[in-house]
Amino acid sequence: MDGAVRRVSLALQGGGAHGAFTWGVLDRLLEEEDLEIAGISGASAGALNGAALKAGMLAGGRAGAKARLDRLWQQVGEIGDFRMLPWIAPFLPAIRFWQTAGAAVLPFSPHGVAAQLYSPYLFGKRWTNPLEPVVRDLDFTHVCAEAGPRLFVSATNVRTGKIKVFHGSQISPEALLASACLPTVFQTVEIDGEAYWDGGFSGNPALFPLYEPDLPDDVVVVSINPMRTESIPDTPLEIQSRINEISFNAGLLGELRAINFVRRLIAEGRMERGQMKEVNIHMIADDGLMNELSADSKLSPTPTLLNRLKTAGRAAAERFLAEGGAKIGQEPSADLRTLLG
């Protein structure tokens, strides 16, 4: 394997501000000169990370990708809170104070309370999506380019509940906003007469776009929604957060079961090799950290939180490279039987 290029596809989960963990993972992976990222499938924050990586890479190689991801999350950190309501805006400095120095004092989140009482539709056309300036800052001539990693962005059709995968020239700013449209926080995004919500509801992320014959057999899943939690949620926000985690993981678990089934059929000689793609799954995660963070933190991207997540993501990627990196191109490093058991 010395000197050989290790080709992988990336499957990037969504999870609000916790997507900064993926920022750290990508930041570390981009330092591996022999690691080629051939495809990216992302939902929600994963889609934003994928778009920033591709745009930066085409503009300036690996260093450009790292810089573009840095810019993306710097801009996200300046938002303060995804649930920013128009009438709260004048109080932003005070809110940011409570999000840092006063976070341990308040037994509740002001935004969390507001989110239980108000819908983004209450403000009609006065409502603005806080992510829109961040998304439109991306260079879509690069995001949509045929060159570079093939990018797939998932959203959920509100009327049908089915997944919609945008690719190539279909990946517009609206497609990225649709992929990140958590319906309790953002107004529905319409594209060509269809209404869309967060891609995590139908595939977080979708793996099937990465099964194309010309894409590598190795898929690295960056997981930011913990599969298991030891504590039982008992507040409205924590309950809703765990419901979202379970629902956002359901599609991924279904696809992992299918991959495990195909691999078992091939191993038992009941299916000829080459009939279906024999996918090698690798996973990068830190469930301990994600269970430690509050549910509210997903919607409150403070710079302190984002930098903590980036550092954790880099560390998790480092562990993966040390323990499973050599298996890329050879065999899966993730134990699907244990994960699915």
Side-chain angles (χ1 to χ4, degrees):
M1 288 288 291
D2 290 344
V5 174
R6 295 176 292 173
R7 298 182 73 239
V8 299
S9 290
L10 301 178
L12 310 180
Q13 277 200 323
H18 292 185
F21 175 82
T22 304
W23 168 30
V25 170
L26 299 178
D27 191 70
R28 177 62 187 88
L29 294 183
L30 285 163
E31 294 169 4
E32 294 292 298
E33 293 291 338
D34 68 333
L35 192 68
E36 177 190 339
I37 300 170
I40 306 171
S41 178
S44 199
L48 298 184
N49 275 316
L53 185 151
K54 178 168 181 174
M57 184 169 284
L58 288 180
R62 293 172 183 269
K66 286 165 71 77
R68 194 61 192 79
L69 284 161
D70 289 349
R71 178 174 173 80
L72 170 74
W73 287 100
Q74 177 187 358
Q75 291 173 313
V76 171
E78 291 170 355
I79 293 174
D81 196 292
F82 293 142
R83 298 157 296 189
M84 187 59 62
L85 301 172
W87 55 270
I88 293 180
F91 304 101
L92 179 58
I95 289 170
R96 283 182 172 161
F97 170 78
W98 284 115
Q99 287 176 328
T100 52
V105 179
L106 279 179
F108 61 89
S109 159
H111 282 301
V113 173
Q116 298 297 317
L117 300 176
Y118 296 99
S119 158
Y121 298 94
L122 178 66
F123 301 95
K125 293 183 178 180
R126 288 185 296 144
W127 181 88
T128 57
N129 190 326
L131 283 176
E132 185 161 356
V134 177
V135 168
R136 292 193 182 280
D137 188 55
L138 291 164
D139 184 343
F140 279 81
T141 60
H142 288 147
V143 173
C144 300
E146 291 187 12
R150 293 174 61 184
L151 179 61
F152 305 93
V153 171
S154 299
T156 303
N157 187 304
V158 178
R159 294 184 176 90
T160 67
K162 296 178 181 179
I163 190 170
K164 167 67 176 178
V165 178
F166 298 91
H167 59 92
S169 61
Q170 297 174 337
I171 305 177
S172 62
E174 290 73 23
L176 286 179
L177 291 171
S179 184
C181 181
L182 194 62
T184 55
V185 179
F186 304 129
Q187 289 187 8
T188 298
V189 177
E190 290 208 7
I191 301 173
D192 296 330
E194 290 290 350
Y196 293 99
W197 281 347
D198 198 297
F201 289 116
S202 52
N204 193 26
L207 301 184
F208 66 85
L210 303 174
Y211 300 162
E212 294 294 329
D214 60 321
L215 290 176
D217 293 339
D218 293 81
V219 175
V220 180
V221 178
V222 183
S223 172
I224 58 176
N225 287 291
M227 297 290 183
R228 178 180 175 84
T229 181
E230 298 303 327
S231 62
I232 304 301
D234 56 9
T235 69
L237 192 59
E238 288 173 348
I239 291 169
Q240 187 59 54
S241 176
R242 187 55 186 158
I243 289 171
N244 284 339
E245 285 172 351
I246 292 170
S247 126
F248 278 21
N249 281 333
L252 174 62
L253 287 171
E255 290 201 77
L256 291 177
R257 285 191 185 92
I259 288 170
N260 193 48
F261 179 65
V262 169
R263 291 190 62 87
R264 192 170 75 246
L265 290 179
I266 293 172
E268 294 171 356
R270 293 192 284 161
M271 178 182 289
E272 231 179 278
R273 272 194 164 81
Q275 282 189 310
M276 296 189 73
K277 199 174 186 75
E278 193 172 1
V279 179
N280 296 326
I281 290 291
H282 312 274
M283 297 197 77
I284 301 177
D286 188 342
D287 281 6
L289 171 63
M290 296 307 176
N291 278 315
E292 178 187 332
L293 296 174
S294 70
D296 191 57
S297 66
K298 293 179 181 179
L299 301 177
S300 302
T302 64
T304 300
L305 171 68
L306 300 184
N307 286 324
R308 179 186 179 189
L309 285 161
K310 180 188 181 185
T311 299
R314 281 190 58 89
E318 189 71 51
R319 289 193 298 272
F320 162 71
L321 290 168
E323 298 167 8
K327 294 184 178 180
I328 294 173
Q330 304 295 316
E331 59 181 333
S333 61
D335 184 353
L336 292 186
R337 291 183 64 181
T338 300
L339 179 67
L340 299 171

